[in-house]
């Protein structure tokens, strides 16, 4: 019965943590800790769970309180640190900007979901948009492009710019 409850919660996408405890040296019980239905403790999202979710699922977990935007950002940043030396996918880290976004409660349909923008036509105020060229680095937009502003209004947490070939 307990194993069925664990499987059902995982199937529904509720993040839970199974903790084994030896109650009397003869029986083993499993206690589920989750913010949904039991305010005992908050489960921490593992990276393996994070990569199985799309942006909609991640935003639903943030909205339900099953995971915090900070935890999602941590997962995204940790993976970018692991993968970027091999892929060179992220040309500009925006961790400080992302953390600044998290100082206020995120709002919008994708509130708290980490997101990367392309380093072309997706201008972020105060950061150069290089279009993959070092010659463009001296141009720094003073305002967000319309699409970036829409991403921010949707609650996405922008934590970096992705690379592209020159022009």
């Amino acid at each position: 019965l307990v194993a069925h409850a664990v499987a059902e919660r995982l199937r529904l996408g509720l993040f839970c943590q199974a903790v084994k405890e030896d109650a009397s040296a003869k029986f083993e019980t499993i206690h589920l800790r989750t913010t949904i239905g039991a305010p005992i403790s908050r489960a921490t999202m593992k990276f393996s769970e994070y990569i199985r979710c799309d942006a909609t699922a991640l935003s639903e977990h943030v909205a339900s309180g099953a995971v915090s935007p900070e935890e999602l950002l941590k997962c995204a940043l940790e993976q970018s640190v692991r993968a970027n030396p091999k892929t060179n996918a992220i040309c500009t880290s925006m961790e400080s900007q992302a953390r600044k976004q998290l100082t206020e409660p995120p709002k919008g349909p994708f509130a708290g979901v980490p997101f990367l923008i392309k380093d072309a036509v997706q201008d972020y105020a105060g950061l150069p948009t290089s279009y993959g060229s070092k010659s463009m680095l001296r141009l720094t937009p003073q305002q967000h492009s319309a699409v970036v502003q829409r991403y921010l209004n949707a609650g996405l947490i922008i934590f970096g710019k992705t690379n592209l070939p020159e022009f």
Side-chain angles (χ1 to χ4, degrees):
L1 184 61
V2 171
H4 176 69
V6 170
E8 183 64 14
R9 287 179 185 231
L10 289 174
R11 186 186 71 75
L12 292 172
L14 304 177
F15 296 105
C16 57
Q17 191 175 27
V19 179
K20 293 181 178 182
E21 293 179 358
D22 189 359
S24 66
K26 287 190 173 198
F27 300 101
E28 200 171 73
T29 59
I30 298 175
H31 299 281
L32 296 176
R33 294 184 207 170
T34 179
T35 55
I36 301 192
I40 300 170
S41 146
R42 195 180 148 103
T44 300
M45 179 176 275
K46 294 183 175 99
F47 181 71
S48 60
E49 296 165 322
Y50 173 81
I51 61 171
R52 285 192 297 248
C53 295
D54 63 8
T56 303
L58 291 173
S59 66
E60 288 170 358
H61 292 303
V62 169
S64 72
V67 68
S68 72
E70 292 82 8
E71 289 173 283
L72 293 182
L73 180 60
K74 181 180 178 222
C75 283
L77 289 170
E78 286 174 355
Q79 180 56 18
S80 69
V81 167
R82 280 191 296 270
N84 205 48
K86 295 175 189 167
T87 62
N88 193 32
I90 300 173
C91 59
T92 305
S93 174
M94 295 172 57
E95 182 178 353
S96 61
Q97 288 87 348
R99 294 204 185 280
K100 185 177 178 186
Q101 280 182 260
L102 292 176
T103 59
E104 296 178 21
K107 297 175 187 153
F110 294 104
V113 175
F115 192 70
L116 294 165
I117 57 176
K118 204 67 170 166
D119 192 29
V121 301
Q122 296 181 355
D123 294 336
Y124 193 96
L127 290 178
T129 300
S130 74
Y131 296 88
S133 174
K134 289 183 181 178
S135 66
M136 299 294 286
L137 286 174
R138 66 180 190 273
L139 303 173
T140 304
Q142 299 306 306
Q143 63 185 26
H144 300 311
S145 65
V147 70
V148 168
Q149 190 59 58
R150 287 181 182 159
Y151 294 153
L152 294 170
N153 292 345
L156 293 166
I157 306 299
I158 299 172
F159 71 97
K161 287 186 164 199
T162 60
N163 229 336
L164 69 154
E166 187 171 20
F167 302 109

